[in-house]
Amino acid sequence: MPATAPGPSLTRLDVADPRAVVLLLHGGKPSSTTPVDARSASWRRMAAVQRAVTPAAHAAGVSTWLLRYTQRGWNGGAPTRDARWALEQVRRELGPLPVVLLGHSMGARTSAYVADDEHVVGVVGLAPWWQPDDPVRALTGRRVAAAHGRTDKITSARMTRDFLERARPLATEVEFLDPGRVGHYMLRRVPVWNEFATSRPLRFLADAGAITVPGHGAGEHHGD
C-alpha cells in the first residue's frame, strides 16, 4: 500500500509574549497529491520570505508561522483545511491573537477562503492565484493588499485587480501594488517584495490596535 502523506506542519519563529501572528502560506499546483517536503520550491520560497519579514515582526512583538501543506495541489480547496488547522494551532498555543495571512500564489487563494476566521484581521497576497469564481465574502471587514507583477505568466495581475474590485465593497480597505516587470516567482526586485510582505501585515496589525509600528498612525488610511 502507498505510504500515507504526513499531515500539515508549521515552522514557528516565535517572539516572547507575542501580540499577534503573521501566518505564511506557500504556493502549489492546481492538482497534485504529492506530499510537500523540505525540497518543495514553493515552500522554500516562502521560508525565505519568512526569514525576511521576521526581524521587523519580532521587533513589533509579532511571531511568524509558516504552514507546510499536506499536499502540493489545490485539489478543490484542500489547502484550506490545512490553513484552518494552522489557525486553530495559533489559538491553542498562543491564545486569541490577531492574525494576518501572508500568502504567495495558491497561498493567497487559500487565505481568501479562510479569512472569515474570527481572529484574522487581514490578507496580504504576493502574486495571487485568484480566480473569477473565488468568493470574496470571507474578506468582509478585513484589510486586503496584493502585489502582482505585470509580466507574471503563471497567474494574472488583471485577475488580481478584478478580485480586489469584487472585494472592495466588503473589505475594510483594499490595496494593489504593481512591482513592475517581474514574474511569478519573486526572483527580481526581491527587496520590493520583501518590503511589501513586511510592511503590510504590520500595518494591518497596527490598524487593528494589536501592535505599535514606529511612524504609523492608528486609523491612517492607505488605499490603492
Side-chain angles (χ1 to χ4, degrees), residues 33-66:
T33 58
T34 302
V36 180
D37 59 24
R39 296 170 295 177
S40 164
S42 297
W43 179 83
R44 292 176 67 180
R45 187 171 298 112
M46 283 308 276
V49 173
Q50 183 185 28
R51 292 192 295 271
V53 306
T54 293
H58 280 190
V62 178
S63 291
T64 68
W65 290 22
L66 169 60

Coordinates of all heavy atoms in Angstrom, one line a residue, residues 33-66:
T33 N -1.2 15.4 -5.7 CA -1.3 14.8 -4.3 C 0.1 14.5 -3.8 O 0.2 13.8 -2.7 CB -2.2 13.5 -4.4 OG1 -1.6 12.6 -5.3 CG2 -3.6 13.8 -4.8
T34 N 1.1 15.0 -4.4 CA 2.5 14.8 -3.9 C 2.6 15.5 -2.6 O 2.3 16.6 -2.4 CB 3.5 15.4 -4.9 OG1 3.3 14.7 -6.2 CG2 4.9 15.1 -4.4
P35 N 3.1 14.8 -1.6 CA 3.3 15.4 -0.3 C 4.3 16.6 -0.4 O 5.3 16.6 -1.2 CB 3.9 14.3 0.6 CG 3.5 13.0 0.0 CD 3.5 13.3 -1.5
V36 N 4.1 17.6 0.4 CA 5.0 18.7 0.5 C 6.2 18.4 1.5 O 5.9 18.0 2.6 CB 4.3 20.0 0.9 CG1 5.3 21.2 1.0 CG2 3.2 20.3 0.0
D37 N 7.4 18.5 1.0 CA 8.5 18.2 1.9 C 9.5 19.4 1.8 O 9.2 20.4 1.1 CB 9.2 16.9 1.6 CG 9.7 16.8 0.2 OD1 10.0 17.9 -0.4 OD2 9.9 15.7 -0.3
A38 N 10.6 19.3 2.5 CA 11.6 20.4 2.5 C 12.2 20.7 1.2 O 12.9 21.7 1.1 CB 12.6 20.1 3.6
R39 N 12.0 19.8 0.2 CA 12.6 20.1 -1.1 C 11.6 20.9 -2.0 O 12.0 21.3 -3.1 CB 12.9 18.8 -1.8 CG 14.0 17.9 -1.2 CD 14.0 16.5 -1.8 NE 12.8 15.8 -1.5 CZ 12.6 14.6 -2.0 NH1 13.5 14.0 -2.7 NH2 11.4 14.0 -1.7
S40 N 10.4 21.1 -1.5 CA 9.4 21.9 -2.3 C 9.9 23.3 -2.6 O 10.2 24.1 -1.6 CB 8.1 21.9 -1.6 OG 7.2 22.9 -2.1
A41 N 10.0 23.7 -3.8 CA 10.4 25.1 -4.2 C 9.4 26.1 -3.6 O 9.8 27.2 -3.2 CB 10.5 25.2 -5.7
S42 N 8.1 25.7 -3.7 CA 7.1 26.7 -3.2 C 7.2 26.9 -1.7 O 7.2 28.1 -1.3 CB 5.7 26.1 -3.5 OG 5.5 26.0 -4.9
W43 N 7.4 25.8 -1.0 CA 7.6 26.0 0.5 C 8.9 26.8 0.8 O 8.9 27.6 1.6 CB 7.6 24.6 1.2 CG 7.8 24.7 2.6 CD1 6.9 25.0 3.6 CD2 9.1 24.6 3.3 NE1 7.5 25.0 4.8 CE2 8.8 24.8 4.7 CE3 10.4 24.4 2.9 CZ2 9.8 24.8 5.7 CZ3 11.4 24.3 3.9 CH2 11.1 24.5 5.2
R44 N 10.0 26.4 0.1 CA 11.3 27.1 0.3 C 11.2 28.6 0.0 O 11.8 29.4 0.7 CB 12.4 26.4 -0.5 CG 12.6 25.0 0.0 CD 13.7 24.3 -0.8 NE 15.0 24.9 -0.7 CZ 16.0 24.4 -1.4 NH1 15.9 23.4 -2.2 NH2 17.2 25.0 -1.3
R45 N 10.4 28.9 -1.0 CA 10.3 30.3 -1.4 C 9.7 31.1 -0.2 O 10.1 32.2 0.1 CB 9.4 30.4 -2.6 CG 9.3 31.8 -3.2 CD 8.5 31.7 -4.6 NE 9.3 30.9 -5.5 CZ 8.9 29.8 -6.0 NH1 7.7 29.3 -5.6 NH2 9.6 29.1 -6.9
M46 N 8.6 30.5 0.4 CA 8.0 31.3 1.5 C 8.8 31.2 2.8 O 8.7 32.0 3.6 CB 6.6 30.8 1.7 CG 5.6 31.3 0.7 SD 5.6 33.1 0.5 CE 4.5 33.6 1.9
A47 N 9.7 30.1 2.9 CA 10.6 30.1 4.0 C 11.6 31.3 3.9 O 11.9 31.9 5.0 CB 11.3 28.8 4.1
A48 N 12.0 31.6 2.7 CA 12.8 32.8 2.5 C 12.1 34.1 2.9 O 12.7 35.0 3.5 CB 13.4 32.8 1.1
V49 N 10.8 34.2 2.5 CA 10.0 35.3 2.9 C 9.9 35.4 4.4 O 10.0 36.5 5.0 CB 8.7 35.3 2.2 CG1 7.8 36.5 2.7 CG2 8.8 35.4 0.7
Q50 N 9.7 34.3 5.0 CA 9.5 34.3 6.5 C 10.8 34.8 7.1 O 10.7 35.6 8.1 CB 9.2 32.9 7.0 CG 9.0 32.8 8.5 CD 8.9 31.4 9.0 OE1 9.4 30.5 8.5 NE2 8.1 31.3 10.1
R51 N 12.0 34.4 6.7 CA 13.2 34.9 7.2 C 13.4 36.4 7.0 O 13.9 37.1 7.9 CB 14.4 34.1 6.6 CG 14.5 32.7 7.0 CD 15.8 32.1 6.6 NE 16.0 32.0 5.2 CZ 15.6 31.0 4.4 NH1 15.0 30.0 4.9 NH2 15.8 31.1 3.1
A52 N 12.8 36.9 5.9 CA 13.0 38.3 5.6 C 12.1 39.2 6.4 O 12.5 40.3 6.9 CB 12.7 38.6 4.1
V53 N 10.9 38.7 6.7 CA 9.9 39.5 7.5 C 10.1 39.4 9.0 O 9.6 40.3 9.7 CB 8.5 39.2 7.1 CG1 8.2 39.3 5.6 CG2 8.0 37.8 7.6
T54 N 10.7 38.3 9.5 CA 10.7 38.1 10.9 C 11.5 39.1 11.7 O 11.0 39.5 12.8 CB 11.3 36.7 11.1 OG1 10.4 35.7 10.6 CG2 11.5 36.4 12.6
P55 N 12.6 39.7 11.3 CA 13.2 40.7 12.2 C 12.3 41.9 12.5 O 12.2 42.2 13.7 CB 14.5 41.1 11.4 CG 14.8 39.9 10.6 CD 13.5 39.3 10.2
A56 N 11.6 42.4 11.6 CA 10.7 43.6 11.8 C 9.5 43.1 12.6 O 9.0 43.8 13.5 CB 10.3 44.2 10.5
A57 N 9.0 41.9 12.3 CA 7.9 41.3 13.0 C 8.2 41.1 14.5 O 7.5 41.5 15.4 CB 7.4 40.0 12.4
H58 N 9.4 40.5 14.8 CA 9.8 40.3 16.2 C 10.0 41.6 16.9 O 9.6 41.8 18.1 CB 11.0 39.5 16.2 CG 10.8 38.0 16.0 ND1 11.8 37.1 16.2 CD2 9.7 37.3 15.7 CE1 11.3 35.9 16.0 NE2 10.0 36.0 15.7
A59 N 10.5 42.6 16.2 CA 10.7 43.9 16.8 C 9.4 44.6 17.2 O 9.3 45.3 18.2 CB 11.4 44.9 15.9
A60 N 8.3 44.2 16.5 CA 7.0 44.7 16.8 C 6.2 43.8 17.8 O 5.0 44.0 18.0 CB 6.2 44.9 15.5
G61 N 6.8 42.7 18.2 CA 6.1 41.7 19.1 C 5.2 40.7 18.3 O 4.2 40.3 18.9
V62 N 5.6 40.4 17.1 CA 4.8 39.5 16.3 C 5.5 38.3 15.9 O 6.7 38.3 15.4 CB 4.3 40.3 15.0 CG1 3.5 39.3 14.1 CG2 3.6 41.5 15.3
S63 N 4.9 37.1 16.1 CA 5.5 35.8 15.7 C 5.2 35.6 14.3 O 4.1 36.0 13.8 CB 5.0 34.7 16.6 OG 5.5 34.8 17.9
T64 N 6.0 34.8 13.6 CA 5.7 34.4 12.2 C 5.7 32.9 12.2 O 6.6 32.2 12.7 CB 6.8 34.9 11.2 OG1 8.1 34.3 11.5 CG2 6.9 36.4 11.3
W65 N 4.7 32.4 11.6 CA 4.5 30.9 11.4 C 4.3 30.6 9.9 O 3.6 31.3 9.2 CB 3.2 30.4 12.2 CG 3.3 30.4 13.7 CD1 4.1 31.2 14.4 CD2 2.5 29.7 14.5 NE1 3.9 30.9 15.8 CE2 2.9 30.0 15.9 CE3 1.5 28.7 14.4 CZ2 2.3 29.4 17.0 CZ3 0.9 28.1 15.5 CH2 1.3 28.5 16.8
L66 N 5.0 29.6 9.5 CA 4.9 29.2 8.1 C 4.3 27.8 8.0 O 4.8 26.8 8.6 CB 6.3 29.1 7.4 CG 6.4 28.5 6.0 CD1 5.5 29.2 5.0 CD2 7.8 28.4 5.6

